[in-house]
Each structure stands twice: as structure tokens, then as C-alpha cells.
Amino acid sequence: MAKYEFIAPCHFGLEAVLKKEILRLGYEIIKVEDGKITFTGDSDAICRANIFLRTTERILLKIGSFHATTFDELFEGTKKLPWENYIPQNGRFWVTKATSIKSKLFSPSDIQSIMKKAMVERLKEKYHINWFQEDGADFPVRVTLMKDEVVVGLDTTGASLHKRGYRQATVKAPITETLAAALILLTPWNRNRILVDPFCGSGTFPIEAAMIGANIAPGMNRSFTSEKWTHLIPKKEWYDAITEAEDNIIRDCEMDIQGYDISHDAIKASMENARLAEVDHLIHFQQRALQDLSHRKKYGFIITNPPYGQRLDSPEEMPELYRDIGTAYKNLDSWSMYLITAYEDAQRYIGKKADKNRKIYNGMMRTYFYQYLGPKPPRREKREENNH
């Protein structure tokens, strides 16, 4: 069976979470870099990685890499790659995205058109034809130039993996599903612990937590570009991966996950999205102001994405909002709180320095994941948790 190299991009600062996920699937890590991980696997890794990985944006099948500082070198380097091993004679192929960082070649549109010409030249020679019908399956190519090193991959995914398929109803500036899942996996939360999101928006944190707790694979209910690559991936491998995902679901679990928001529309959107994700029975959503946040049980988790004061809200409202967060947290004796925000003065107005602070880039926006660690539950309660 052919061995392939795959590239899985992720948010800067969350590489360790993705690495753990890939290792858990049983694949070998080749390289960990800022914002991406390279690993190896057979063709079934295309199916399993797309269906099971929660924290990557897409899975790229690596075609090759080379050095290029001129467009001639880019053309020749692209032409040398074994495109005929991947793209059939009737395949529809194009460079869907070119990213250039600290490289002499920096015009995405020029990079895209030169690489397409080089691919055509290579395939003309290999297939002995002058014109391509391009009426078969899609083969979108993505290329990254970093310090003049060109890395070329076929996009096996299509629409980004954060598009699980459940988020039909949205509110303004929602957190992406992949980022929400990665942040939850950074915490010690598990399905036996309480989780509350007091700014739940369209429900992403509670829904991702419920899917993690019930072991529901995030890519189960969507399609992928590479499903049509039957010359590389037998259909059976997709069926096997879906069967594996179905078998892994914990169907009888109960969880205490709650999503609150002051907005009626947000709660409506959350409930609809949870229903589409088939986890609505595991989450309680309620319209509730932050000031009313309380819980009778101990050792719970707040995991949330409060307003930042950028794009959305009046900056002058931020101090009061973060003071309210601090007050609400103070009243939850023995809880842990994890919040992601771009608001620089968050700790100051919360009134307490975070135990841990992790810098994470959400797109181009620098955000901080503040981690306030509550005490661990006593051993007896832990035993009870494990027995559930």
C-alpha cells in the first residue's frame, strides 16, 4: 500500500493539541512547525484524518517541495513533480490558493497561473495529449512559499474542516468550530465535569464539548473533495472510516453542559445548531445575563469567548463587562475558568491574574487564552466521576 505525506494546518499556538490527535489516530509525525503538522499514512489516512480530526483546517496530500526564487525555477520545480500519480487524464486541476511569506515570489495570481501552466506541460507529456477535458473529479492545489521554499499539496478536504455542517444559524463573530474544539482539548475538562459557557453565541463551545464527550467524529455528516478520487482511495475506505466513527459514539452518556446568552436570537441559534449536530439532548441552553451566572455544584468549568471590544462592541463597555466576569467567577467557588479574548486589559478588570496565559492567533488577530485553574475534586468525587 502506498505511503503518503500529509500536511495538517492549524491555528498558531495549538500545534500540540493537533499533534496529540494525529498520534491518537495512529499516524507517524514527520515534522511540527508553526501552524502545521506533517505526518505519514496510507490512503485510508485521508478518510480518517478528515472525519476524525477536530483541530485542523484541512488535510493536504503533499506532492513535493523545492526551492524557487524566480518564476522560471517555480515553473521547472512544479513541472518536475509527479502529477500523473495523482491527477487522472480527465481531472479538473487548478491552484486554488497560493500563500507567500518572506519569499522573493509574492504575487499569488502569478504563482497560481505559472504553476497551472507547468502542471499542464507535465501532464501533456505524460498523457500524450494537447488538450484536457477537465470534466472529472476536482483536484485543487494549495501552495505555500516560506523563505523561498515551495511546498505543494492537493487539498483532500474541500470546504474547511471547521464547517462541520451543523452551524446553519450564526450570530455575529462566532468562534470557529476547530478553534473551539482545540481550546476545550487544552483544558482538563471531561464528560463527567460541568461545563458552562455564559457567552454561548451560536453554541459552538457547548456543541463541540458535547461532541467530544460523546465521541462523535466532527466530519461524519459532511462530504470531502477526495471522495471522488477513486483511483487513489477505494470507496470501501470511506465506508470503513464512517463505520468506525459510528461504532465509537457513546450513545448513553449524560453530561451537564450549559450555554447561556443575554440574546434571545443567540439562544435560538444555539438550540437549532445543537439539534443539527444531534447533541441537543446533552446541552441546556437558556437566555440569561452574566450577572445571573450561578451553579449549586462545585468543580465546574467556564469555557467561553466573551466580547473583545474589537469589531463588535463599544470599547468603553469592556471594563464593566470584564469586572462582571470577575465577580461571577468569584461566586463560583472551586471552579476553573478558561476564556479566549483579544482584550488586553482582561486580567486587570477580572481582578485576578490568570494561572496560565497562552497566545493564540485567531486568523490575524492575536488573542489570549487565559486559564484560571480551580482546585481538583477530592478523590472520592473523582472515583464517582470515573464510575459514571
Side-chain angles (χ1 to χ4, degrees), residues 22-204:
I22 293 168
L23 289 172
R24 204 176 294 131
L25 275 185
Y27 300 118
E28 187 189 342
I29 306 275
I30 301 287
K31 199 194 280 183
V32 179
E33 299 165 90
D34 284 348
K36 68 176 180 182
I37 291 181
T38 306
F39 66 100
T40 59
D42 304 328
S43 58
D44 74 339
I46 296 174
C47 317
R48 294 181 72 239
N50 274 300
I51 288 167
F52 287 100
L53 293 178
R54 297 181 192 280
T55 63
T56 183
E57 297 305 309
R58 61 186 65 253
I59 301 299
L60 302 175
L61 171 52
K62 187 176 174 183
I63 305 298
S65 60
F66 55 91
H67 189 79
T69 56
T70 67
F71 285 123
D72 279 348
E73 287 175 346
L74 180 68
F75 183 90
E76 293 304 329
T78 304
K79 195 179 166 191
K80 278 192 182 122
L81 297 175
W83 294 105
E84 66 282 359
N85 293 351
Y86 305 95
I87 301 172
Q89 197 167 310
N90 69 338
R92 180 173 169 259
F93 57 96
W94 73 103
V95 180
T96 185
K97 183 148 194 219
T99 308
S100 176
I101 302 158
K102 297 178 183 168
S103 297
K104 291 190 176 61
L105 305 177
F106 56 83
S107 160
S109 56
D110 288 336
I111 292 164
Q112 285 167 295
S113 64
I114 281 161
M115 288 185 71
K116 167 79 181 195
K117 279 178 193 152
M119 291 164 71
V120 168
E121 285 306 309
R122 168 87 185 197
L123 292 173
K124 264 163 86 173
E125 287 172 15
K126 294 295 171 182
Y127 290 129
H128 309 293
I129 53 172
N130 282 321
W131 189 73
F132 291 91
Q133 196 91 24
E134 295 203 47
D135 58 358
D138 285 349
F139 292 85
V141 175
R142 286 182 172 249
V143 58
T144 306
L145 283 78
M146 168 67 90
K147 295 180 182 169
D148 304 320
E149 195 64 25
V150 184
V151 178
V152 186
L154 278 177
D155 180 7
T156 73
T157 303
S160 170
L161 286 174
H162 79 264
K163 295 186 174 171
R164 318 283 206 219
Y166 67 72
R167 199 161 76 182
Q168 301 300 313
T170 58
V171 296
K172 53 186 183 174
I175 191 167
T176 67
E177 294 87 329
T178 43
L179 179 55
L183 295 177
I184 294 164
L185 291 171
L186 264 182
T187 77
W189 177 83
N190 64 57
R191 72 176 73 91
N192 301 310
R193 304 284 288 273
I194 306 152
L195 189 152
V196 174
D197 180 358
F199 301 95
C200 71
S202 51
T204 312

Side-chain angles (χ1 to χ4, degrees), residues 9 15 20 76 90 100 112 188 209 283 302 311 325 340:
E15 297 83 4
K20 210 178 275 184
E76 293 304 329
N90 69 338
S100 176
Q112 285 167 295
I283 308 168
I302 295 171
R311 300 181 308 193
I325 291 172
I340 182 168

